[in-house]
Amino acid sequence: MRIMTKVFQHADLSDRNSFHVKQYAARLVEFETTEELRAVFADGVPERWTVLAGGNNMLFTRDYDGLLITPVSQKIEILGEQGDEVRVRAEAGVEWDDLVAWAVERELWGIENLSLIPGKAGAAPVQNIGAYGREAKDVIRRVEMYCPHSDTMLTLDAAHCEFGYRESVFKHALKGRAVITAIEIGLSRTPQPHLGYGDVEREVEARGGATLRNIRDAVIAIRRAKLPDTAELGNAGSFFKNPVVDRSVAEQLQARWPEMPLYPAAEAGKAKLAAGWLIDKAGMKGHRDGRVGVHERQALVLVNLGGATGGEVIALARKVQAAVRDKFGVEIDTEVNIL
Ligand code: EPU
């Protein structure tokens, strides 16, 4: 068997994280097959290691003194069909949006609302990526992973993934214990448009109605209008999560700010607020501190204006959190992983 892993010592991470901060990793290994992945751990599990997929949800604040593992596998295949469901398997290194484009080309419904989300397919279950009323958990059926401590391949059914809003078992019990190698998703040949969120319906109608292509194009247009392109302006999408608070707290806030957006939360007695709105109303939208800033068109996004360090981004994040706390008494947590 040929082992083709690419190993990088003192790896420059500038182009491997969407914030484009210049930090180094002691060692970085790209793997394609599970055999290659196993070989990486053949001499034991290093003390410090983690997976770096697209680096779209990570902020490096210092050099990483350990091993980073990057999936580069690219295969997408149809496993079979049962009833209305078409089961598709994508390897971890597939770009998420390439998977969405692949599905839309084949007239398969289910992930079109998740168009243009940056990142790899293998990372999608970790934070249960979501946009425009849909989440990865709506389609993920199984997750394949390698567990280096036991040197085993395991497949987890969705029911055991503990999916929640930007949450999963991979951020908790399985953190540091598993490398996702592939996902299986269930798509449908029957049209199932979900247009209820924000401007989606209007943008879809403007394009002539709810075809897969039009929904994908509408979502791409909405995202491009609000979210900065990481190639031009380093960022990690939403830097903060939308806070989930007690309903009573949400109602008090809404009594004072009737225009405040409010969303239902999965937990009873709770409601989800829009962190972007809170940051905006706290006066921080477009705020700049040297080489970092709060994006002008979407206050949830922090941007590297050029040459910023992770530490500078964190300092701005703390300031944003304090501004929201002072004005609304609400804590907003980071969505991005800070390393
Ligand atoms: N808003 C403002 N000012 C802002 C930003 C937002 O007033 O600067 C208001 C909007 O007008 C709207 C509400 O806040 O009433 C919500 O804004 P939006 O619909 O843009 O969505 P979001 O809650 O800010 C979430 C996700 C995004 C996802 C969008 C669309 C999180 C943390 N973020 O943002 O995900 O694309 O919904 O579904 O849940 C990401 O995770 O990286 C990401 C971009």
Side-chain angles (χ1 to χ4, degrees):
M1 183 195 318
R2 259 161 43 104
I3 301 291
M4 300 282 287
T5 45
K6 268 205 204 158
V7 180
F8 302 83
Q9 308 289 348
H10 193 60
D12 182 349
L13 302 176
S14 315
D15 292 330
R16 294 177 182 270
N17 76 95
S18 61
F19 259 114
H20 300 307
V21 296
K22 193 172 176 73
Q23 299 290 349
Y24 291 83
R27 196 155 67 102
L28 184 147
V29 178
E30 292 179 349
F31 76 93
E32 200 162 330
T33 65
T34 49
E35 289 75 25
E36 290 173 0
L37 181 55
R38 292 186 65 192
V40 174
F41 293 97
D43 298 329
V45 183
E47 199 177 311
R48 211 162 132 69
W49 70 277
T50 191
V51 180
L52 174 67
N56 290 284
N57 205 38
M58 274 207 187
L59 179 62
F60 290 96
T61 56
R62 56 176 72 100
D63 288 345
Y64 188 78
D65 180 24
L67 166 68
L68 294 177
I69 300 186
T70 299
V72 294
S73 45
Q74 289 298 329
K75 195 160 152 199
I76 305 175
E77 62 190 320
I78 292 182
L79 296 179
E81 289 192 37
Q82 201 166 30
D84 183 49
E85 183 162 300
V86 181
R87 190 67 73 92
V88 174
R89 178 177 180 275
E91 291 182 334
V94 170
E95 277 300 319
W96 173 264
D97 194 55
D98 289 348
L99 179 60
V100 179
W102 182 96
V104 168
E105 273 163 30
R106 284 160 185 78
E107 290 291 319
L108 295 174
W109 291 75
I111 50 177
E112 57 285 353
N113 287 32
L114 306 182
S115 287
L116 211 64
I117 294 184
K120 307 230 180 184
V126 178
Q127 61 152 346
N128 178 25
I129 58 171
Y132 307 104
R134 301 290 284 163
E135 290 181 319
K137 78 173 171 62
D138 301 329
V139 294
I140 291 177
R141 303 291 181 256
R142 308 203 315 166
V143 176
E144 293 173 26
M145 62 192 180
Y146 172 70
C147 301
H149 295 89
S150 53
D151 186 26
T152 44
M153 284 297 301
L154 286 177
T155 301
L156 211 58
D157 285 336
H160 294 117
C161 291
E162 295 172 23
F163 288 128
Y165 167 61
R166 298 293 193 273
E167 282 292 351
S168 77
V169 71
F170 306 104
K171 283 173 113 175
H172 299 282
L174 289 178
K175 192 181 165 112
R177 311 211 61 88
V179 181
I180 294 172
T181 53
I183 60 170
E184 276 181 34
I185 58 176
L187 301 176
S188 166
R189 293 202 189 274
T190 312
Q192 306 184 340
H194 294 272
L195 308 179
Y197 189 102
D199 299 336
V200 177
E201 180 152 32
R202 203 184 55 211
E203 288 286 332
V204 166
E205 288 312 318
R207 284 169 174 76
T211 64
L212 267 176
R213 185 75 247 168
N214 287 346
I215 296 173
R216 174 165 167 77
D217 289 348
V219 167
I220 288 175
I222 296 169
R223 289 188 73 95
R224 287 222 167 107
K226 281 191 185 166
L227 298 168
D229 182 347
T230 57
E232 284 157 25
L233 206 54
N235 75 90
S238 300
F239 196 88
F240 304 98
K241 292 203 254 187
N242 287 331
V244 175
V245 300
D246 286 340
R247 258 222 92 80
S248 58
V249 171
E251 277 159 13
Q252 276 168 23
L253 289 170
Q254 216 177 29
R256 180 131 181 238
W257 290 278
E259 75 286 10
M260 182 186 78
L262 201 56
Y263 305 105
E267 304 95 312
K270 303 266 185 183
K272 193 153 77 179
L273 310 179
W277 185 91
L278 297 170
I279 297 166
D280 192 343
K281 279 289 173 296
M284 294 298 282
K285 191 171 184 168
H287 178 89
R288 288 181 172 210
D289 273 342
R291 302 186 288 190
V292 291
V294 179
H295 190 51
E296 290 135 354
R297 278 173 282 144
Q298 164 55 286
L300 263 184
V301 179
L302 302 189
V303 293
N304 177 357
L305 299 166
T309 63
E312 290 166 34
V313 179
I314 300 290
L316 176 61
R318 300 290 170 246
K319 209 180 210 184
V320 168
Q321 287 171 317
V324 169
R325 188 183 307 124
D326 289 349
K327 186 160 178 91
F328 299 103
V330 172
E331 288 298 325
I332 51 171
D333 290 333
T334 58
E335 181 189 299
V336 169
N337 275 313
I338 293 158
L339 280 176

